[in-house]
Amino acid sequence: MSVHKSDIKRVTTHVLQEMKLKGEKIAMLTGYDFSMAKIIDNAGIDIILVGDSASNVMAGHETTLPITLDQMIYHASSVIRAVERALVVVDLPFGAYQGNSKEALTSSIRIMKESGAHAVKLEGGEEILESVKRILSAGIPVMGHLGLMPQSIYKYGTYVVRAKENEEADKLIEDAKLLEEAGCFAIVLEKIPASLATRVAQEVKIPVIGIGAGNGVDGQVLVVHDMLGITHEFSPRFLRRYNNLYEEIKGSVENYIKDVKTLDFPNDKEQY
Ligand code: KIV
């Protein structure tokens, strides 16, 4: 029997909440284009994050800061056209929400209206709470992001593990609770001690998704280019590579070049 689009049970924020209650872990990956989104959606991923890491892995910038709202909408629209099951969350890029809550809402509405995405993600706690509330008041689901926040890299100066000291850990716990109270449907915790992430996941009722935050949380997220080994220079301790596509793709291209140059390709069967 063939499966129709309408037969597929879509992942919603409610489904994610139920998964947390049942102790079923949530699997999330980034996605930025139609073809990759189709593969990871068909594989059964729960959430696709159109991350501003597109700035690094798609555009080759050193940080996530340069990517624009228009570029994020372009990536998100491509992903949405491919996805039948996963919840699609889109990062609000640097500069599209920090100014004031009205700007945050306007940017979020543009993402939802122009891409068809299902939710937005913002980096920060107490300092962006007014924006979070304003976006939520428009009926747009919001995912929080605490711990290492790459949009603030020039404030930290480094990508090392965050919240190792008590003061920063206490603020992170407080921020997580504020985001939960405001109505966020989930929170990403990036690169913090596993014990702290476990504590946050126990103290809030909404799903907590970790990246470099241990396995005591409700789910995991990785950048798809990193876990597939398309990027090969980036090797943080938290990363598990499931493939080495950099070498595989390079090898295939080398074979293609050789075949073209030696007149092996196309052969008699590969022409009209
Ligand atoms: O942009 C991104 O890829 C992210 C993940 C690291 C969570 O925010």
Side-chain angles (χ1 to χ4, degrees), residues 29-95:
L29 279 174
T30 63
Y32 319 101
D33 67 277
F34 178 87
S35 304
M36 185 71 84
K38 199 160 209 45
I39 299 171
I40 61 181
D41 187 54
N42 287 346
I45 202 76
D46 299 310
I47 307 176
I48 296 181
L49 171 66
V50 183
D52 57 358
S53 48
S55 180
N56 310 107
V57 295
M58 300 301 287
H61 293 295
E62 215 172 282
T63 72
T64 58
L65 275 67
I67 199 159
T68 65
L69 184 59
D70 283 337
Q71 288 165 340
M72 289 303 295
I73 290 170
Y74 166 78
H75 286 297
S77 317
S78 310
V79 167
I80 280 288
R81 282 192 286 275
V83 168
E84 296 177 8
R85 178 181 173 277
L87 184 88
V88 178
V89 182
V90 182
D91 266 335
L92 277 177
F94 178 69

Side-chain angles (χ1 to χ4, degrees), residues 138-152:
I140 301 172
V142 176
M143 176 180 264
H145 182 148
L146 299 170
L148 177 67
M149 294 180 278
Q151 290 180 10
S152 304

Side-chain angles (χ1 to χ4, degrees), residues 11-183:
V11 179
T12 63
T13 57
H14 292 284
V15 169
L16 298 173
Q17 187 61 59
E18 280 167 20
M19 288 171 79
K20 170 148 182 158
L21 285 173
K22 287 192 266 182
E24 190 185 329
K25 298 291 179 190
I26 297 163
M28 168 166 155
L29 279 174
T30 63
Y32 319 101
D33 67 277
F34 178 87
S35 304
M36 185 71 84
K38 199 160 209 45
I39 299 171
I40 61 181
D41 187 54
N42 287 346
I45 202 76
D46 299 310
I47 307 176
I48 296 181
L49 171 66
V50 183
D52 57 358
S53 48
S55 180
N56 310 107
V57 295
M58 300 301 287
H61 293 295
E62 215 172 282
T63 72
T64 58
L65 275 67
I67 199 159
T68 65
L69 184 59
D70 283 337
Q71 288 165 340
M72 289 303 295
I73 290 170
Y74 166 78
H75 286 297
S77 317
S78 310
V79 167
I80 280 288
R81 282 192 286 275
V83 168
E84 296 177 8
R85 178 181 173 277
L87 184 88
V88 178
V89 182
V90 182
D91 266 335
L92 277 177
F94 178 69
Y97 64 100
Q98 286 91 349
N100 59 52
S101 62
K102 186 166 182 287
E103 192 180 358
L105 177 60
T106 306
S107 302
S108 304
I109 289 176
R110 277 202 61 201
I111 288 176
M112 302 297 282
K113 234 180 163 50
E114 296 177 36
S115 76
H118 311 133
V120 296
K121 174 164 85 60
L122 288 75
E123 293 181 7
E126 201 240 324
E127 54 288 337
I128 56 146
L129 206 59
E130 191 190 315
S131 297
V132 168
K133 288 182 181 164
R134 197 149 178 184
I135 299 167
L136 284 162
S137 73
I140 301 172
V142 176
M143 176 180 264
H145 182 148
L146 299 170
L148 177 67
M149 294 180 278
Q151 290 180 10
S152 304
I153 184 57
Y154 291 116
K155 178 176 146 195
Y156 302 135
T158 144
Y159 287 102
V160 294
V161 180
R162 304 303 311 174
K164 279 166 103 175
E165 307 302 328
N166 286 345
E167 200 182 324
E168 199 181 339
D170 289 346
K171 174 167 171 10
L172 188 144
I173 293 171
E174 242 170 69
D175 280 343
K177 289 182 179 168
L178 287 173
L179 292 173
E180 177 185 36
E181 273 165 32

